[in-house]
Amino acid sequence: MSSQHAADALCWFGASGDLARKMTFPALYAMARRGRLTFPVIGVAHSDWTLDDLTDRARQSIVDHGGIDDPAAFDHLVGSLRYVDGDYSDPSTFTRLRHELDGVGSRHPAHYLAVPPVLFAEVVQGLGASGCAEGGRVVVEKPFGRDLASAQELNRVIHEVFDESAVYRIDHYLGKQEVLNLVYLRFANSLFEPVWNRDHIASVQITMAEDFGVQGRGSFYDSVGALRDVVQNHLFQVVALLAMEPPVGGGMEALRDEKERVFRAMDRVCPADVVRGQFDGYLDEPGVAANSDVETFAAVRLNIDSWRWAGVPWLLRAGKQLPEHVTEVLIEFRKPPHKVFTEPQLATDGPNYLRFRLSPSPVIAMGVRSLAPGDHMHGAMSELVLCDDVVDERLPYERLLGEAMTGDPFMFAREDGVEAAWAVVDGVLDAPVAVTPYMAGTWGPAGADALLPPGQHWHEPVSPLA
Ligand code: BG6
């Protein structure tokens, strides 16, 4: 089944769950406030709930996320809700869903799978067998598989019921305005493209630092670790947007074609390209195995095997319990090829750079040298801040659910890209590099420095809230 048209109902599996409370209800409420909640929302869960319970959960969730500042929008959200309770292994659950869909006159439902990954296949098969999938699409939550083989298997199961054009795989980083801006900046300006290659760029660093631990998600986190949780998906998507070629032809699918190609161009990561760390105290977290060697920090050196990027190291690191909560990209340019000025600082100071802070508040800055006052031709590095604190108040989930309903696939991961991204890290997931402990509040194991080219250090982004 292919989907080119807008969906006319949202069937939301896992409506009683944690993600629903934290992300989905606030996103639906935000849509209602903007007049974009124009479809019925049918919650599905196996919780022995009624519609009243779902409504209570909606109220609680929105109160917890800033409050109900627009009662009419909240009433509209509540008026859009329907509910089906049942076991996903019981065909009658899907019969009742079909009945609800008929009741609201839906012919093109979007089925949003906000359920644990072990249930994905069961729900998809239930949708297929009951006819609920007909004319519809499926929106699949992260994580999409836990390695290459499981992602391939999941794709196979989904494709028995839904055509690839009807599959929307969520990576919430693709719903972030600051992340999408990377690709917008590149291709809506002529300034960047001439220098966006190995001749001018020396290295790219991406740091995703969190100054907190696993926040009660110990048992989930202990089954994934940093590589699976954020590197293979969120950070790789950022890399792809930065590294992709300009699209040929128009349209968002052309843009997505180029993005997905980057994953295929990435060399497979080998143990020498990875450093894994675990913060002291992780083993005491509820839900974490006493002898767990799951990493809460990962640093990875990537090589993109293409004409544009050959020889440019892509250096990624992500970790919990680091000193800051900040995600930042640093693109370092090559030094000037010829010494015109003799000031000693020129040799030791870093080169020009572009810095994209993606969160918590976006910054785009360019590091340049300029002449300092005084008798000598000596200068200093300073930053040209291109854009600061331009925050789009739309939540990533509001954007993503909106795009999935409209039927625009650009912000979603595609089958080939997801599998290629898993293939890149597959060799270091289950035969992993030993994990090194690090103290909470530090930048992870010192061994991560060994991934850098000689003379380089990890850029330490500073959160504006610090
Ligand atoms: C999630 C991970 O996908 O992304 C979390 O499971 C992580 O562990 C989160 O904290 C980070 O997202 P954001 O939007 O806060 O950077």
Side-chain angles (χ1 to χ4, degrees):
M1 276 147 249
S2 143
S3 63
Q4 304 301 328
H5 33 65
D8 53 15
L10 179 67
C11 302
W12 171 22
F13 291 82
S16 64
D18 209 37
L19 185 76
R21 191 172 52 76
K22 287 190 186 144
M23 302 287 184
T24 322
F25 276 124
L28 293 173
Y29 174 61
M31 285 169 119
R33 290 178 68 219
R34 261 183 264 284
R36 301 255 173 89
L37 189 67
T38 53
F39 44 84
V41 179
I42 308 173
V44 189
H46 186 203
S47 293
D48 233 351
W49 273 19
T50 63
L51 182 57
D52 285 346
D53 295 309
L54 189 69
T55 305
D56 286 347
R57 176 56 67 87
R59 184 174 294 104
Q60 196 52 53
S61 158
I62 293 156
V63 166
D64 290 349
H65 287 84
I68 300 176
D69 53 356
D70 184 341
F74 180 73
D75 289 348
H76 178 70
L77 166 60
V78 168
S80 308
L81 292 177
R82 314 274 184 285
Y83 184 66
V84 172
D85 196 276
D87 189 331
Y88 304 141
S89 65
D90 179 355
S92 78
T93 305
F94 293 90
T95 311
R96 281 179 289 122
L97 177 60
R98 181 69 261 173
H99 186 72
E100 286 291 340
L101 285 170
D102 291 342
V104 296
S106 169
R107 292 171 54 223
H108 302 300
H111 300 286
Y112 173 37
L113 272 49
V115 293
V118 288
L119 298 175
F120 286 167
E122 195 165 72
V123 175
V124 167
Q125 282 154 359
L127 290 171
S130 61
C132 290
E134 224 156 281
R137 67 193 57 164
V138 66
V139 185
V140 189
E141 257 306 331
K142 153 187 188 269
F144 196 89
R146 49 176 291 104
D147 53 19
L148 176 59
S150 56
Q152 286 171 328
E153 174 58 14
L154 186 52
N155 277 327
R156 191 192 62 72
V157 168
I158 290 176
H159 289 155
E160 281 179 354
V161 177
F162 293 97
D163 183 83
E164 177 60 22
S165 62
V167 184
Y168 295 73
R169 296 175 191 78
I170 288 200
D171 183 316
H172 79 277
Y173 264 52
L174 289 174
K176 290 182 183 243
Q177 202 250 352
E178 310 77 46
V179 172
L180 294 169
N181 196 27
L182 296 173
V183 75
Y184 185 85
L185 269 176
R186 284 190 59 201
F187 300 133
N189 295 294
S190 56
L191 177 69
F192 299 110
E193 180 55 20
V195 296
W196 213 257
N197 55 55
R198 64 192 303 272
D199 296 331
H200 298 276
I201 292 181
S203 72
V204 182
Q205 286 192 19
I206 307 175
T207 295
M208 177 184 180
E210 294 179 317
D211 59 359
F212 47 84
V214 293
Q215 297 184 308
R217 297 158 74 224
S219 98
F220 160 75
Y221 196 86
D222 211 38
S223 69
V224 287
L227 281 169
R228 287 185 167 99
D229 188 38
V230 297
V231 176
Q232 179 271 349
N233 38 59
H234 304 332
L235 294 193
F236 273 24
Q237 293 292 342
V238 172
V239 170
L241 294 175
L242 288 166
M244 63 190 272
E245 296 298 319
V248 177
M252 297 306 261
E253 197 58 42
L255 212 56
R256 190 158 77 145
D257 282 342
E258 294 304 337
K259 176 172 77 70
E260 307 299 311
R261 267 188 201 122
V262 176
F263 301 115
R264 295 207 297 275
M266 290 176 180
D267 282 344
R268 293 187 176 215
V269 166
C270 63
D273 298 319
V274 179
V275 170
R276 297 166 69 240
Q278 187 186 82
F279 67 80
D280 277 338
Y282 174 69
L283 298 180
D284 303 329
E285 295 277 349
V288 168
N291 58 350
S292 170
D293 71 346
V294 163
E295 77 283 354
T296 59
F297 170 97
V300 177
R301 179 175 51 209
L302 268 183
N303 183 47
I304 300 175
D305 193 14
S306 70
W307 194 290
R308 184 186 290 266
W309 295 116
V312 177
W314 290 74
L315 302 150
L316 280 45
R317 63 179 177 162
K320 306 262 183 210
Q321 294 289 20
L322 301 190
E324 304 285 345
H325 184 197
V326 59
T327 299
E328 196 158 282
V329 174
L330 190 86
I331 298 179
E332 279 203 344
F333 290 86
R334 297 197 184 281
K335 288 202 160 188
H338 175 62
K339 257 198 228 158
V340 176
F341 306 105
T342 51
E343 59 172 315
Q345 280 298 100
L346 263 181
T348 51
D349 276 6
N352 295 129
Y353 62 84
L354 265 175
R355 181 168 73 84
F356 298 99
R357 187 166 63 216
L358 304 179
S359 71
S361 56
V363 172
I364 303 168
M366 187 185 284
V368 292
R369 254 191 120 66
S370 63
L371 191 61
D375 292 338
H376 304 287
M377 290 290 267
H378 286 184
M381 282 301 272
S382 52
E383 281 198 337
L384 290 171
V385 177
L386 301 181
C387 162
D388 198 357
D389 287 338
V390 184
V391 182
D392 183 343
E393 60 165 15
R394 275 195 300 165
L395 303 164
Y397 270 86
E398 179 188 354
R399 197 190 298 267
L400 290 170
L401 288 177
E403 297 291 308
M405 292 302 291
T406 315
D408 190 333
F410 177 65
M411 293 180 199
F412 300 88
R414 204 168 65 187
E415 172 194 18
D416 51 344
V418 167
E419 291 186 9
W422 276 121
V424 174
V425 290
D426 215 42
V428 291
L429 291 172
D430 290 325
V433 186
V435 78
T436 312
Y438 62 94
M439 296 288 291
T442 67
W443 285 100
D449 292 354
L451 300 178
L452 302 169
Q456 240 201 48
H457 59 272
W458 284 100
H459 163 67
E460 288 185 7
V462 175
S463 160
L465 304 175

